[in-house]
Amino acid sequence: MKIILNENQIEMIVEETINLDNFTHQMIKKFFIDNIDGDYKEFAELLKTSIEKSGCQKIEFADFNNDNISGLALHDRVVINNRLLGTRMSYLIYAIFHEIAHQYQYRKYGANEMYKLHKGELTDEDALKALKKYEYTADEYGIRKAREFAKKGFFKLDSIPKSVYRTFLDSDLMNIIKNVLSKDSDKLSELSDLEVSEFLYNSIIKHM
């Protein structure tokens, strides 16, 4: 069964997303530096409006300890790997909105429920089901939003990536659960949602 995430599915109180102007500026500087026809204004408006609708509290680019990780979605922020600014726009848009999809999920299911994967509070069977539910839906949303940008002429439709998580075997997904998502479960079990967010953020960001 395919789960479709609709932006109108969950009623949001749209507030200002911290750092959104700087986040948008970094993308404009990367992809529109030689543009003189003003298309970047439509791009910026679509990007900012789409992110704000999710209720995302904060968004930023940052250097990650692991370049194989594209982004991190927490209940109070989204972080995108700086490395992705060196990829094509279609992939970056897909990756951004994959993480933004998780913002809708945090508000639908609650941070406590979403963090169970990190805290190791689910059986292997339930953890696998939860990961598929979250990531398949986020992939579909990321692809759908990338198509929206493509239809505006910012890149070609055929440059949009396919669903990444649907290419993984169950054994691959269990490896992600055991060795990435819940590897610090013993340190997270007694922490509040805010403390979990801070721990996960600090564990993935490269500190100078």
Side-chain angles (χ1 to χ4, degrees), residues 18-186:
I18 297 172
N19 203 49
L20 182 55
D21 285 341
N22 182 56
F23 183 85
T24 304
H25 176 73
Q26 287 179 267
M27 294 191 66
I28 292 172
K29 184 178 179 181
K30 168 64 181 178
F31 294 108
F32 295 92
I33 193 67
D34 296 322
N35 185 288
I36 59 172
D37 60 12
D39 284 349
Y40 73 89
K41 293 180 181 178
E42 183 179 10
F43 172 86
E45 181 63 24
L46 180 57
L47 179 72
K48 292 170 72 173
T49 300
S50 298
I51 290 173
E52 286 174 335
K53 284 180 70 175
S54 73
C56 180
Q57 297 178 39
K58 181 179 182 179
I59 190 164
E60 64 181 300
F61 286 106
D63 292 326
F64 282 24
N65 290 320
N66 185 347
D67 277 343
N68 292 321
I69 299 175
S70 296
L72 175 68
L74 302 165
H75 78 281
D76 55 355
R77 75 188 84 179
V78 164
V79 192
I80 303 298
N81 195 331
N82 253 330
R83 177 184 63 81
L84 268 62
L85 283 169
T87 63
R88 64 186 187 276
M89 185 194 290
S90 58
Y91 184 82
L92 179 53
I93 290 295
Y94 153 77
I96 288 169
F97 285 101
H98 174 104
E99 302 304 333
I100 288 297
H102 293 314
Q103 296 299 289
Y104 287 101
Q105 293 170 341
Y106 276 113
R107 284 149 185 80
K108 181 176 182 179
Y109 303 114
N112 185 61
E113 185 67 24
M114 296 283 287
Y115 285 150
K116 285 182 178 180
L117 274 171
H118 295 283
K119 291 184 172 184
E121 294 178 352
L122 301 174
T123 64
D124 286 355
E125 181 180 359
D126 287 342
L128 184 60
K129 288 179 180 178
L131 185 64
K132 286 182 177 181
K133 178 174 69 173
Y134 299 148
E135 300 301 345
Y136 287 1
T137 306
D139 263 358
E140 292 298 327
Y141 183 72
I143 292 168
R144 193 162 77 247
K145 291 300 291 186
R147 287 175 181 154
E148 185 177 340
F149 279 78
K151 289 175 182 177
K152 295 288 186 179
F154 296 117
F155 44 78
K156 294 181 179 180
L157 277 168
D158 61 9
S159 71
I160 299 171
K162 305 296 183 183
S163 176
V164 173
Y165 275 88
R166 288 187 182 276
T167 66
F168 293 153
L169 300 173
D170 284 0
S171 57
D172 297 324
L173 295 175
M174 283 307 305
N175 184 60
I176 291 173
I177 292 168
K178 297 290 187 181
N179 298 317
V180 179
L181 297 179
S182 64
K183 67 182 181 67
D184 293 310
S185 59
D186 58 324

